[in-house]
Amino acid sequence: GEDVEQSLFLSVREGDSSVINCTYTDSSSTYLYWYKQEPGAGLQLLTYIFSNMDMKQDQRLTVLLNKKDKHLSLRIADTQTGDSAIYFCAERYQAGTALIFGKGTTLSVSS
Amino acid sequence: EAGVAQSPRYKIIEKRQSVAFWCNPISGHATLYWYQQILGQGPKLLIQFQNNGVVDDSQLPKDRFSAERLKGVDSTLKIQPAKLEDSAVYLCASSFGQSSYEQYFGPGTRLTVT
C-alpha cells in the first residue's frame, strides 16, 4: 500500500536544530523527497535521496534514510525564522511516476 | 529560468458552476502533473501528461474533471460542475522528462466553492 506519515507539528527556537521525521510503507520506493511550502506558495524542492543511499547533506540540510525501518528524516541545522513553513515528505516508485506525499509537518521557529 | 506559471491564483465560484485553470510548465519540460491539495493534506495526483499524451489519470474524477495538453506545452484543467468538496489548491508541476528525478511546482490556484 501507499502511505506516507509525518508528525503534524514541530516547534523550535532560532539557532537550534530541527528534525522532521517521516515513515513510508512502500519498500519499492526508490526516491524520497523533501519539499517546503510557505503560506500561499507552491512547493519548493529542498532535496531528495535515492533509496540506495543512507545520508545526503546539502548546506544546512541533512537527510537520513533508514531503509530497513522505512524511516526518513530531515535535519535543519541552525534553524532560522525563515525556515518556518510546512515540510512535506514524498516518495516515488521510479522516475517518471507521480509523487506520493505525507500530510506535512508545520515547523514553527521562535526567536 | 522562469518557473511553472499558473492562473488564476484565486477563484471563488458557486457549486454547480464550471471553472478552468491554466498551467504553463518550465520551458522544455515534457512531463506535466496536476495535483489537488485539500487544506491540511498533502498534494494528490489528478493527472499526468507526457507531451500531449495522458500517462496516468486513474485518480481523476472523470465525471466532472477534465484536462488537456493539446500541443504538449501548456495545459488546462476543468471542473464542471463543481462541488463543495472541490475546494482546494490545484497545483501544476513539471519535469524535464519521465526519467527526471526533479519535479517543480507552480504557485497553485486556490479554489473556493460556495
Side-chain angles (χ1 to χ4, degrees):
Chain A
E2 308 165 358
D3 204 5
V4 177
E5 295 190 358
Q6 303 178 236
S7 52
L8 294 182
F9 194 78
L10 176 65
S11 180
V12 301
R13 287 191 176 273
E14 191 174 24
D16 288 350
S17 291
S18 307
V19 179
I20 302 171
N21 294 301
C22 167
T23 58
Y24 60 99
T25 55
D26 199 316
S27 58
S28 61
S29 290
T30 53
Y31 308 94
L32 295 143
Y33 296 78
W34 285 104
Y35 278 84
K36 176 184 180 183
Q37 187 175 39
E38 295 181 88
L43 277 72
Q44 174 194 352
L45 177 61
L46 289 178
T47 186
Y48 58 91
I49 189 169
F50 300 124
S51 60
N52 62 356
M53 297 169 66
D54 298 324
M55 185 183 86
K56 182 178 180 182
Q57 187 153 3
D58 185 0
Q59 299 182 347
R60 292 191 296 123
L61 305 179
T62 302
V63 178
L64 295 177
L65 175 61
N66 181 329
K67 195 174 180 183
K68 175 177 170 288
D69 294 336
K70 300 191 190 78
H71 182 265
L72 183 74
S73 67
L74 174 69
R75 178 178 181 269
I76 305 173
D78 186 25
T79 312
Q80 303 297 308
T81 54
D83 294 324
S84 293
I86 303 175
Y87 290 80
F88 290 93
C89 170
E91 65 175 342
R92 192 183 213 185
Y93 303 132
Q94 59 189 15
T97 60
L99 299 170
I100 298 166
F101 287 87
K103 292 185 178 181
T105 299
T106 299
L107 175 63
S108 176
V109 183
S110 57
S111 55
Chain B
E1 179 182 82
V4 178
Q6 291 189 245
S7 67
R9 292 295 314 276
Y10 305 92
K11 190 75 177 176
I12 301 174
I13 61 172
E14 294 182 352
K15 60 184 179 184
R16 292 188 289 274
Q17 287 186 322
S18 61
V19 65
F21 313 126
W22 175 81
C23 171
N24 193 25
I26 293 171
S27 178
H29 280 198
T31 309
L32 185 148
Y33 308 81
W34 283 102
Y35 289 85
Q36 180 192 55
Q37 185 180 17
I38 293 171
L39 185 65
Q41 304 284 325
K44 285 187 168 57
L45 179 75
L46 289 174
I47 189 166
Q48 177 185 344
F49 290 95
Q50 176 67 19
N51 296 310
N52 61 351
V54 175
V55 174
D56 183 358
D57 64 355
S58 57
Q59 299 185 70
L60 186 74
K62 298 182 185 64
D63 57 336
R64 299 184 299 105
F65 286 64
S66 64
E68 60 184 16
R69 194 184 184 201
L70 294 175
K71 296 183 180 178
V73 179
D74 56 348
S75 176
T76 303
L77 176 70
K78 295 179 182 176
I79 308 175
Q80 181 179 14
K83 292 185 175 181
L84 295 176
E85 58 260 37
D86 297 332
S87 293
V89 176
Y90 291 84
L91 293 161
C92 180
S94 71
S95 62
F96 183 73
Q98 282 198 277
S99 60
S100 298
Y101 307 126
E102 299 175 0
Q103 207 172 111
Y104 298 95
F105 284 78
T109 296
R110 181 176 296 278
L111 173 67
T112 302
V113 182
T114 63

